[in-house]
Amino acid sequence: MKKTAGLLLAGSFLFSSAMAVPAVDGELSAGYIKQDIDGWINYKGDSADVDSDLNIGTENSYFIRAKLEHPIPILPNIKLQYLRMRFSGDGTVSRTFTFGNITVNVDERVRTKLDLDHYDFVLFYNLPFINALQVIDAEFGLNVRVIDFYAWVQRVSTGEEDSVSLTLPIPMLHGSLELKPLSFISFLVEANGIAYQGNHYYDVSGEVRLKPIRTLVLDVFVGLGYRYEKLKIDDIDDTSADIKVKQPYIQAGILF
């Protein structure tokens, strides 16, 4: 909660700064996202399937983001984003597996939690030769994503439980491309990714944006998109995981 509040304060600061300084552009937005997770996690034991072992399914969530672009060539532009990703499960397992210091037996009821909250801090540059025509907006930079990873399993019959908590700062390459054929509509593709030592992590999103309200000061936009995310970690603090998340979303915001 403190990190989310900090991100909101930073976004408000970016907004107030952009409105006060000429030739500075920006974006503030928030969205609803539906998260369908698949894959497995392993903590000091067996690989537990997210669906059949942890009984975790689809969740509804939200995200907020802020963006600031300035005319100073040397200094990078900045994006901030928070994506809430929290899942819970309650059901009967179909096989025996070990998670940390507990062993869950077949046909036993378990309660579970899996959190993967994202905090993105992106420094990027616009590509001037591509952007000159004002029809294509291309960006390239570095995204430092911090993931608050938390997994918890409880045997309901005995009350035994175990959990693992990790804070993972992950540097990723960042790029985006926005096509603006008309003033009231655009098409946006954005990607982040990294691979190293048996670990890899990437996400790709595509979005259609409509701008129903346009003024001299700001534009109001609505976006409809889809995001695909894949995380594979290999034995980080006794934890491994291979997780995929499919995420259709809708958002609304302002461009200034």
Side-chain angles (χ1 to χ4, degrees):
M1 181 62 71
K2 290 181 179 179
K3 292 180 181 178
T4 308
L7 198 65
L8 285 170
L9 288 174
S12 300
F13 173 76
L14 290 180
F15 175 76
S16 59
S17 300
M19 296 298 288
V21 179
V24 172
D25 298 323
E27 172 188 327
L28 279 177
S29 62
Y32 159 84
I33 190 164
K34 195 174 188 68
Q35 298 167 332
D36 182 10
I37 191 168
D38 190 18
W40 56 266
I41 63 171
N42 184 323
Y43 175 54
K44 295 182 179 178
D46 303 312
S47 296
D49 187 89
V50 168
D51 183 19
S52 60
D53 295 328
L54 303 184
N55 292 286
I56 287 173
T58 302
E59 296 284 354
N60 299 317
S61 193
Y62 68 90
F63 62 90
I64 55 175
R65 59 185 294 166
K67 176 180 175 181
L68 180 66
E69 297 182 66
H70 57 77
I72 305 173
I74 299 176
L75 297 179
N77 304 302
I78 186 170
K79 292 181 190 178
L80 303 174
Q81 179 171 270
Y82 167 69
L83 172 61
R84 189 178 189 270
M85 191 178 290
R86 300 182 186 181
F87 303 91
S88 61
D90 187 338
T92 302
V93 303
S94 58
R95 68 183 183 94
T96 298
F97 68 91
T98 298
F99 180 87
N101 296 318
I102 66 172
T103 298
V104 180
N105 297 311
V106 63
D107 295 329
E108 191 171 11
R109 183 183 168 200
V110 295
R111 291 194 183 101
T112 58
K113 291 181 181 178
L114 178 60
D115 297 348
L116 294 159
D117 282 6
H118 296 12
Y119 302 86
D120 284 9
F121 304 87
V122 184
L123 298 177
F124 70 95
Y125 292 95
N126 298 104
L127 301 182
F129 299 107
I130 296 178
N131 295 7
L133 298 177
Q134 300 298 312
V135 177
I136 298 176
D137 186 6
E139 302 169 356
F140 183 77
L142 175 68
N143 181 7
V144 178
R145 174 171 296 167
V146 179
I147 296 183
D148 277 347
F149 180 95
Y150 176 73
W152 170 82
V153 176
Q154 180 191 57
R155 297 176 65 192
V156 175
S157 61
T158 64
E160 293 178 280
E161 62 182 55
D162 205 352
S163 65
V164 56
S165 179
L166 302 171
T167 298
L168 302 172
I170 305 174
M172 311 169 75
L173 292 178
H174 168 81
S176 73
L177 185 68
E178 185 174 10
L179 178 63
K180 307 173 183 178
L182 299 170
S183 60
F184 60 88
I185 189 171
S186 65
F187 304 90
L188 175 67
V189 177
E190 188 170 278
N192 301 277
I194 190 173
Y196 62 97
Q197 297 180 346
N199 306 282
H200 65 255
Y201 184 27
Y202 65 86
D203 64 78
V204 180
S205 62
E207 181 181 330
V208 178
R209 286 189 173 184
L210 298 175
K211 302 170 187 174
I213 301 175
R214 309 190 71 224
T215 70
L216 294 175
V217 179
L218 56 83
D219 297 338
V220 176
F221 77 89
V222 177
L224 181 65
Y226 185 86
R227 175 188 177 107
Y228 178 81
E229 188 167 339
K230 190 174 190 303
L231 169 66
K232 184 179 186 299
I233 58 175
D234 185 19
D235 195 19
I236 298 178
D237 290 344
D238 299 317
T239 305
S240 300
D242 192 342
I243 292 170
K244 299 178 286 292
V245 191
K246 302 171 184 176
Q247 304 173 82
Y249 67 87
I250 185 170
Q251 69 167 328
I254 57 172
L255 303 168
F256 49 87

